Amino acid sequence: MIRTGWYELPGGLGPFDLHRGDRVLHGGRWTTVTDLYSPGSSGCGRVLHLADGRLYLLRPGERLPVYRRATRG
């Protein structure tokens, strides 16, 4: 089963917290997040390392469509 939603950084978490292995729509293509961290000392936003080798800064207030496989729990 695949869950789809939006990830955003408005000062809290969106429908999901973004994790390594999630797939995000970036530049019109779906790509996997291989790593993510807070940039610099401000910690505002998240830098996403994508499987296609690109880096993407997701700033507070921006939204990305995300999907992940639902885990059985």
Side-chain angles (χ1 to χ4, degrees), residues 25-41:
L25 187 61
H26 179 257
R29 304 179 94 173
W30 287 97
T31 187
T32 302
V33 176
T34 58
D35 199 9
L36 63 157
Y37 61 89
S38 295
S41 59

Side-chain angles (χ1 to χ4, degrees), residues 20-64:
R20 288 182 190 106
D22 286 347
R23 293 184 57 82
V24 296
L25 187 61
H26 179 257
R29 304 179 94 173
W30 287 97
T31 187
T32 302
V33 176
T34 58
D35 199 9
L36 63 157
Y37 61 89
S38 295
S41 59
S42 70
C44 292
R46 293 289 179 271
V47 175
L48 309 180
H49 287 241
L50 304 176
D52 62 6
R54 294 183 180 172
L55 300 177
Y56 178 72
L57 175 62
L58 181 65
R59 294 182 176 95
E62 286 187 85
R63 292 165 34 120
L64 275 179

